[in-house]
Amino acid sequence: MSRRLTSPPVFIALLFAIASNFVVAQDYKDRAEWAALKAELITENNYDAAVLDATIACVKRQDKVITYMDAPMRAPTPWHIYWPRHIGGDRLQRGAEFMRANRASFATAEQSYGVPAQVVAAIIGVETVYGRMTGNFRVIDALATLAFDYPRRAEFFRAELKELLLLAREQKRSPLDFMGSFAGAMGWPQFMPGSYRKWAVDFDNDQKIDLWNSPADIVGSVASFLAGHGWQRGEPVMLPIAKPGVEIIASLDGGLSPRKPLREFLAAGITITSRDADIVLPADDASVGIISLDNADGQNEYWLTFENFYVITRYNRSRMYASSVWSLAYALKKAVTTR
C-alpha cells in the first residue's frame, strides 16, 4: 500500500509552496469533475486531501491552451519544407556539442537499451533544440484546462493530470512547480507525466530524476522510452529504395503505410539503393513499410521503413516526424565521428 505524505516537514513545506503560488481565480475547486478525481486519488492512491485542496485552489484555467489545441488544421507541409524546420538552424551543431559533452551517458544508454546515441540525441534536438524550447506553461494549469474544459480529449488529459499529481508526490515537489508545453509535455525530452513516471530514469544516480537539468537523466530517459516501446537493437530505421512499381505506389496513403513481411517487398522487386556497412537487415519475415517523401523538384523519394521507424512514431505519429528524427540522427552520426 502506498503511504500518505504524513511527514510533518515535507507536508508543511509542500503546503507552503502551494500557498505561495495562490491565485485569485479558483476555477476548478468546486467542479464535479475535480471532486471525482480527488476522490479517486484519495481512495486509490492514498493521496492527502489537504494537499489536493490546497493545490486545486491555485489552479487556473488557461484559455490560450484551448486556442492552441483548436488551431485550424492546415494542409500537410511538404517534406522539403518540413524537414528544414525540424532539423535546420543550429540543431546539428548543438546536437554534436551535446553528444560530445555527454559521451559517457550516451555510451551507457546505448549499451543498456540498444538505442544508438545519435537517435537519442536527434529526438532531443527535434523536440526542444537541446533544451531551448521546453515550454512556459504551468503544467497543472494546462492539464486541468484540457481535462475539465476540453471534452474532445478530456479522458486522456484527466489521466495525465492524475499522473502529474502522483509524480509531484513521488518527487516531493509542489504540483505547481512543473513547467512545460501547452499540452503538458515536460523537460528536454517533452515527456507527458505518465511517460515521466513510467520511462524516465535516474541515470546519474543522484536519487532524483530531472529532465531539465541532468543530461544523464535526459539521455537515459529517451533511450528507456524507445526501448520500452520495442526498439530493435542493431536493426535499421529506414533505408532508401529505388522507385517501386505502380501497384506499390498506388497503395501508399501519404501516412504510415500498411506493412508487409520484408520478403514480400523484396520479391516484388524492391531494391535498397544504399546502406552503411554496419547496417544488417532483419529477418525476412520482419514487418516493414514503404513511405514516400517529396523533394523540392517535385519528385518523390522512397524509403523502406523498419520496426525502429515505427517506434520513433510513438513519440509523434507522423512519417515526417520520424523521418526528420532519422535525418538529424544520420547527420549527427557523421558530424560526431568525423571529428
Side-chain angles (χ1 to χ4, degrees):
M1 178 181 291
S2 58
R3 295 181 294 117
R4 290 179 183 267
L5 286 179
T6 54
S7 171
V10 172
F11 178 74
I12 293 171
L14 183 56
L15 286 180
F16 178 81
I18 291 171
S20 68
N21 284 280
F22 186 77
V23 293
V24 174
Q26 299 178 13
D27 294 314
Y28 295 115
K29 70 181 183 66
D30 297 321
R31 290 278 291 268
E33 300 95 323
W34 167 251
L37 179 56
K38 174 184 171 182
E40 191 175 301
L41 283 160
I42 294 171
T43 302
E44 298 180 6
N45 304 101
N46 207 25
Y47 216 108
D48 194 289
V51 172
L52 292 172
D53 288 339
T55 298
I56 199 61
C58 303
V59 175
K60 182 173 176 59
R61 172 186 160 115
Q62 295 292 329
D63 291 331
K64 188 180 293 187
V65 166
I66 296 177
T67 299
Y68 287 153
M69 291 295 289
D70 281 339
M73 294 291 291
R74 294 179 293 181
T77 305
W79 169 247
H80 67 273
I81 296 175
Y82 180 96
W83 75 261
R85 293 178 180 173
H86 287 76
I87 70 172
D90 63 351
R91 275 184 173 88
L92 179 58
Q93 177 185 343
R94 290 171 66 92
E97 291 172 352
F98 182 69
M99 289 181 69
R100 294 187 187 107
N102 297 282
R103 286 184 187 274
S105 294
F106 278 106
T108 303
E110 187 164 347
Q111 182 179 22
S112 300
Y113 297 108
V115 184
Q118 67 270 16
V119 173
V120 173
I123 290 278
I124 300 167
V126 170
E127 288 295 324
T128 60
V129 197
Y130 305 98
R132 178 186 289 167
M133 303 180 298
T134 58
N136 56 7
F137 284 86
R138 201 167 62 167
V139 172
I140 196 165
D141 290 339
L143 293 179
T145 299
L146 294 169
F148 303 140
D149 287 323
Y150 195 68
R152 185 163 64 88
R153 298 195 64 193
E155 183 177 354
F156 171 78
F157 287 109
R158 181 189 188 278
E160 290 297 336
L161 176 58
K162 181 178 180 180
E163 293 284 355
L164 176 69
L165 291 164
L166 294 172
L167 175 65
R169 183 173 71 170
E170 290 164 357
Q171 295 205 339
K172 297 181 174 60
R173 294 176 59 184
S174 165
L176 307 177
D177 286 348
F178 295 86
M179 302 296 292
S181 76
F182 69 88
M186 300 182 290
W188 286 32
Q190 290 292 275
F191 275 12
M192 294 298 288
S195 291
Y196 203 128
R197 293 188 68 222
K198 186 170 185 178
W199 304 115
V201 293
D202 175 17
F203 221 53
D204 57 10
N205 298 311
D206 67 349
Q207 310 307 309
K208 63 181 179 180
I209 301 173
D210 187 344
L211 298 187
W212 287 266
N213 303 297
S214 169
D217 290 358
I218 292 163
V219 168
S221 296
V222 173
S224 168
F225 178 94
L226 294 174
H229 285 87
W231 187 271
Q232 301 299 299
R233 185 186 293 261
E235 293 189 6
V237 173
M238 54 194 297
L239 293 172
I241 59 174
K243 184 176 180 178
V246 293
E247 184 176 342
I248 290 177
I249 292 177
S251 71
L252 304 181
D253 61 6
L256 299 174
S257 59
R259 289 186 275 175
K260 298 179 180 179
L262 175 59
R263 61 173 175 270
E264 291 190 22
F265 281 126
L266 296 178
I270 293 299
T271 304
I272 297 170
T273 55
S274 68
R275 72 182 196 223
D276 291 350
D278 61 342
I279 294 295
V280 178
L281 294 180
D284 64 2
D285 62 347
S287 180
V288 301
I290 293 177
I291 64 167
S292 65
L293 300 171
D294 61 292
N295 290 322
D297 60 7
Q299 300 298 311
N300 284 350
E301 56 188 63
Y302 297 90
W303 294 78
L304 199 61
T305 53
F306 298 84
E307 182 61 29
N308 289 337
F309 179 89
Y310 296 94
V311 171
I312 293 173
T313 67
R314 296 302 295 270
Y315 240 101
N316 184 323
R317 190 169 171 75
S318 161
R319 65 186 170 90
M320 292 204 290
Y321 175 87
S323 299
S324 65
V325 167
W326 178 243
S327 296
L328 181 56
Y330 193 79
L332 284 169
K333 182 179 180 181
K334 290 187 174 298
V336 172
T337 58
T338 56
R339 179 172 172 177

